[in-house]
Amino acid sequence: MAISPNPTGSLLLRSFRHRNFRLFFAGQFISLTGTWMQSVAVSWLVYRLTGSSMALGLVGFASHIPVFLFGLFGGCLADRGNKRAILIAAQAAAMLQALALAALTLSGTANVWLVVSLATFLGLVNAVDMPTRQAFVVDMVGREDLHNAIALNSSMFNSARVVGPALAGVLVAAIGEGWCFLVNGLSYLAVIAALAAMRLPPSQPSCGSGSVSGHVRQGLAYAWGDRSVRSILGSLIITSLFASSYMVLLPVVVNTVLGHGAQALGFLMAATGVGSVAAALLLALRQKSRGLSRWRIVSGLGVGLVMVAFAFSQTFWLSVCLSMIMGFCLIFFFAASNTMLQLRSPDAMRGRIMSLYSVTLVGMAPFGSLLAGAAASLLDAPTTIALAGGLCVAGVALSTILDREPGQERPA
């Protein structure tokens, strides 16, 4: 008797029918594993050099503020240019940043201001890379499999978030942060090779001629005029602003509250990644977007509630469990928001709308990082995380209420 194919597996992995997406997925997974290794190592390096919560906030600010300032122009560039060529150039620049950080750390000449400078450079790269990469997904899989590809991208991103921090925790404890930066620099070769190997039709810039500032204004006008897009972006601003305190202050909580070191920091970040992967896979199994708006709101509220619970935890394993739930809520909220924005974006506007997604998701984080660092230096890390969680809950709820038209039904 013939064995019928597994319908769940076929549904989950349907974007892998596309050769370009398979290449992209493999290259990005290797590269992002290195990126997460660097993220853990940078946090630990800065805290080791300074012992300061404010310094951690400053580095977080420096790495994200360029996305806030220049992300819209990056999205316009994605709409006007060859996305693959832009991505290859951005990945090469990020590789140079990681190798420079490795050289400074391994030579013993790294200091907090050099780290801040390199973090700012990487932020400039991400201002171009992030909206371009988001808009590039539809070029690889088409609109039919876009929903699934976004979810699989999230699962890949957060699988790397499990592997990378765990490896970084071991390497930092054993031989130091510099080797994590070197591994990350070399990992960019995988994604550059994958992009170069893709078979794509000739690039057709979608937004035509005209000034860059005019195209940016068009994107802003479209986002403001669409109530659903405006509501999604408003909730993203609130969540990104306040939820960033969790990641920024995690090294302080691990060291001062839980009494552990770099390996435990990597373990907690990996636990966050496990929850994130579970959320992404659940989204990948969905066939339609119906009901996604409601669950996006629920998961956004869940982020704030879990932050409050995490702030009161005094036990390492309870913190691990809460980190998993935190990861689930965060990625369900972000991936659902990404999917809804992409499905509502015209092809000619996709780069600019996804640049707004990048600006609200990443660009608000520097302000959250500075607020978290300053508040923790005046209060303490757990109190800061608890307050940020409460504000996150209030903000998501208020944004949802204010952007609902009178008499509008609850979101489907």
Side-chain angles (χ1 to χ4, degrees):
M1 183 175 66
I3 299 175
S4 60
N6 183 344
T8 301
S10 299
L11 183 65
L12 178 65
L13 303 176
R14 61 187 183 273
S15 292
F16 285 121
R17 295 178 300 174
H18 305 275
R19 175 182 179 273
N20 289 337
F21 185 77
R22 293 197 301 271
L23 286 168
F24 180 80
F25 190 96
Q28 278 287 309
F29 179 75
I30 294 170
S31 178
L32 286 170
T33 298
T35 298
W36 279 109
M37 291 178 68
Q38 177 163 307
S39 178
V40 174
V42 165
S43 294
W44 199 255
L45 173 65
V46 171
Y47 193 61
R48 177 173 63 81
L49 290 174
T50 67
S52 167
S53 300
M54 193 64 187
L56 287 170
L58 179 61
V59 172
F61 181 87
S63 63
H64 293 121
I65 190 62
V67 178
F68 178 81
L69 295 175
F70 304 110
L72 284 170
F73 295 96
C76 187
L77 182 63
D79 281 338
R80 292 165 67 98
N82 184 316
K83 296 184 185 67
R84 173 166 58 174
I86 293 168
L87 288 172
I88 290 174
Q91 296 299 302
M95 178 174 67
L96 293 177
Q97 187 267 357
L99 293 176
L101 193 53
L104 288 170
T105 306
L106 292 172
S107 66
T109 57
N111 60 55
V112 68
W113 295 111
L114 287 172
V115 174
V116 168
S117 299
L118 287 169
T120 303
F121 175 78
L122 184 60
L124 288 169
V125 173
N126 285 334
V128 174
D129 176 77
M130 290 184 67
T132 307
R133 182 159 31 90
Q134 296 289 346
F136 188 58
V137 174
V138 74
D139 292 349
M140 292 185 287
V141 302
R143 293 187 67 88
E144 179 184 354
D145 291 326
L146 179 61
H147 175 84
N148 178 256
I150 292 170
L152 287 177
N153 266 341
S154 295
S155 70
M156 171 259 291
F157 179 88
N158 290 287
S159 296
R161 191 177 184 172
V162 175
V163 178
L167 290 174
V170 173
L171 283 180
V172 169
I175 55 178
E177 303 91 353
W179 293 100
C180 292
F181 305 143
L182 179 60
V183 170
N184 180 43
L186 297 175
S187 74
Y188 283 105
L189 294 173
V191 71
I192 291 172
L195 287 164
M198 289 183 183
R199 300 168 187 159
L200 294 166
S203 176
Q204 295 292 332
S206 57
C207 66
S209 60
S211 68
V212 172
S213 60
H215 288 142
V216 169
R217 288 194 297 271
Q218 287 175 6
L220 290 171
Y222 178 86
W224 182 257
D226 188 300
R227 178 175 289 272
S228 178
V229 170
R230 188 170 71 236
S231 177
I232 293 168
L233 292 174
S235 296
L236 279 167
I237 288 171
I238 297 296
T239 306
S240 300
L241 182 64
F242 295 116
S244 59
S245 63
Y246 165 78
M247 292 301 297
V248 169
L249 298 176
L250 196 55
V252 184
V253 173
V254 168
N255 184 260
T256 62
V257 178
L258 302 178
H260 290 274
Q263 194 165 354
L265 173 62
F267 203 83
L268 277 173
M269 291 185 72
T272 307
V274 170
S276 301
V277 170
L281 292 177
L282 181 62
L283 277 168
L285 286 170
R286 295 177 62 93
Q287 290 182 287
K288 299 179 180 179
S289 61
R290 182 173 176 79
L292 204 56
S293 178
R294 180 183 296 111
W295 286 109
R296 179 186 64 84
I297 295 167
V298 169
S299 58
L301 296 173
V303 168
L305 294 173
V306 173
M307 286 176 65
V308 174
F310 183 86
F312 286 100
S313 173
Q314 302 286 319
T315 307
F316 177 72
W317 289 109
L318 175 59
S319 297
V320 168
C321 293
L322 290 170
S323 294
M324 292 176 66
I325 301 171
M326 178 73 170
F328 184 94
C329 291
L330 272 174
I331 294 310
F332 203 104
F333 177 75
F334 291 144
S337 299
N338 185 320
T339 300
M340 294 176 68
L341 286 173
Q342 292 243 35
L343 290 174
R344 292 192 68 89
S345 299
D347 290 342
M349 197 75 68
R350 182 167 286 107
R352 282 163 284 177
I353 296 303
M354 296 320 296
S355 71
L356 286 170
Y357 172 80
S358 300
V359 167
T360 53
L361 176 64
V362 176
M364 295 307 299
F367 302 103
S369 297
L370 277 186
L371 285 172
S377 65
L378 295 174
L379 305 169
D380 56 57
T383 302
T384 300
I385 292 173
L387 287 173
L391 290 169
C392 187
V393 170
V396 171
L398 184 61
S399 174
T400 303
I401 292 169
L402 291 179
D403 281 313
R404 185 178 300 170
E405 293 178 354
Q408 182 181 349
E409 295 181 1
R410 293 180 180 274

